[in-house]
Amino acid sequence: MYQEERLIAIISYLKQHKRISVEQICSLFDVSRDTARRDLVKLEEEKSIVRTRGGALLPSHVELKPYLSRLETVSEEKKKIGKLAASLIYEGDRVILDTSTTVQACAEQLDNINCTVITNSINQADVLSNKSNINIQLLGGTLEKDHRFLYGSSVVNKLSEYYADKAFIGVIGISEEGLTIAHEEDGVVMRKMMQQAKQVIVLADHTKLGNTDFFKYAHLSDVDLLITDKIPPKPFRELLQQYDVELLTADEEHTGDD
């Protein structure tokens, strides 16, 4: 098992059992104590766990940095996901883009084609404003200043008037519990975005797989396609199959069967 697969499996174990020891990691994954400690160091660096003497706990909550801070650390994985997502937007499409940095990576790599983009993100609109052939419908509402999106009943009501071909949605967590995010006001808008699109495409790097955050805004059954950067572990792929979610990976650009 690759390290990234173990990291996802460790987080999944923590969600069920609240804590894990180095000995348990060694036993569950047949690895050495040094390997188990390196896994915990990696998860701690990603702020996914709190290390304890001899093991780890899940943090009580995940702090979401302001949008501009997150933009400074957009990973190569997110850029690959965004490039693949952008390739799925065609001439004449009407698409919804949410507020996530991974979805912005899609907007940045979108060709200047004749299409319509509906968004509540100031950043997405700004990125696309220099593409003359793209029609932008910016949804108005209350401004969330730190994360640079518009929310509220006016956004949700306006969304109900649009019918899109595709919605590109980001997550903080995607698991058997569904799609989750840190802010309820953002999640309510994203739920409506998904309802207004013929095809729902979720963009999530491997660190989001198996995670559950504060507010649930959709079920796995509401998703048509997941784009991620690496082939997930078999249990997660089986979960996607259970809910008829197609999988596309940015590295391989195909689903894994092993």
Side-chain angles (χ1 to χ4, degrees), residues 167-190:
F168 292 85
I169 304 294
V171 296
I172 298 298
I174 178 170
S175 68
E176 66 277 2
E177 301 298 331
L179 278 60
T180 53
I181 199 166
H183 302 284
E184 180 175 354
E185 59 267 28
D186 199 10
V188 169
V189 173
M190 293 162 74

Side-chain angles (χ1 to χ4, degrees), residues 75 77-78 81 102 203-209 227-229:
S75 65
E77 289 85 357
K78 289 185 178 182
I81 293 169
T102 311
L203 311 184
D205 67 76
H206 67 277
T207 64
K208 310 296 178 57
L209 307 185
I227 303 179
T228 189
D229 56 306

Side-chain angles (χ1 to χ4, degrees), residues 76-165:
E76 287 302 316
E77 289 85 357
K78 289 185 178 182
K79 291 176 182 178
K80 289 179 181 179
I81 293 169
K83 181 178 180 180
L84 183 53
S87 73
L88 302 180
I89 300 175
Y90 306 119
E91 288 277 347
D93 271 353
R94 295 160 295 182
V95 301
I96 297 173
L97 302 182
D98 82 348
T99 64
S100 76
T101 53
T102 311
V103 172
Q104 178 160 334
C106 167
E108 289 172 346
Q109 299 176 84
L110 179 59
D111 291 335
N112 185 20
I113 60 175
N114 181 20
C115 67
T116 296
V117 170
I118 304 155
T119 187
N120 65 324
S121 166
I122 293 174
N123 283 72
Q124 316 296 36
D126 184 48
V127 165
L128 296 170
S129 63
N130 64 348
K131 300 177 188 282
S132 59
N133 290 326
I134 297 178
N135 175 41
I136 304 167
Q137 298 291 329
L138 182 61
L139 302 164
T142 302
L143 176 63
E144 211 296 337
K145 294 180 181 178
D146 284 340
H147 303 289
R148 297 175 60 82
F149 65 79
L150 298 147
Y151 68 95
S153 58
S154 60
V155 175
V156 174
N157 291 338
K158 189 63 177 178
L159 270 168
S160 67
E161 299 176 3
Y162 293 111
Y163 295 94
D165 298 295

